Amino acid sequence: MEGADMGASGWSYFVTYRPDLQEALDDLRARVFADGDYWWARGEIGITASDYRDRPQTLDELYGDEWVQESGTHSILDMFRVVTEGEKPDYGTVQPVTTGEARRRTGTEVLTREHVEAIGGLAEQRWFGRCAVLHDVTGRPDEIYFWGWSGD
């Protein structure tokens, strides 16, 4: 799985920047599901769902499985929505890094890949994700970094 560590339940992904963070999350989730790049609760730890021919064929089928509901997929599939500014994060949501958090962690509001390690600790709770817009050397938005923890 792309950046996923089953033992620690951590996951991370880089996607091409787009202004609509929810759209970026939705597309990433669709890709991860289609690729089978997640842990399927009926499979073995450390083996991705793509290794199973009988894995769920739709997201509804995946989330209808009681084991998945309890254990998660240890991937971005466990996140459903990007919260808006001022909204309190909840189970299964992704919260964008605020300018204040970026400044406190890195000394700048214009984050790059070099800042990923510094902001990593902002995702502290299981079943909650974070995201950050990362910029290129000219300061233009280039990527979105999604990361967090999920699963049991």
Side-chain angles (χ1 to χ4, degrees), residues 16-92:
T16 302
Y17 173 75
R18 64 178 70 187
D20 187 326
L21 297 177
Q22 183 65 51
E23 185 179 283
L25 174 63
D26 292 343
D27 287 351
L28 173 58
R29 291 179 73 246
R31 183 185 53 124
V32 167
F33 181 74
D35 291 347
D37 193 19
Y38 60 93
W39 179 68
W40 181 36
R42 303 227 178 222
E44 296 178 41
I45 297 284
I47 297 176
T48 63
S50 64
D51 293 323
Y52 296 93
R53 282 185 280 173
D54 62 341
R55 75 178 190 260
Q57 297 302 301
T58 67
L59 286 171
D60 286 341
E61 185 181 342
L62 177 69
Y63 298 126
D65 186 320
E66 212 172 297
W67 288 13
V68 172
Q69 292 172 20
E70 291 179 23
S71 300
T73 65
H74 299 256
S75 76
I76 195 71
L77 295 179
D78 297 327
M79 300 297 111
F80 300 96
R81 192 171 60 78
V82 176
V83 297
T84 58
E85 189 174 336
E87 182 181 0
K88 183 176 166 85
D90 197 2
Y91 170 87

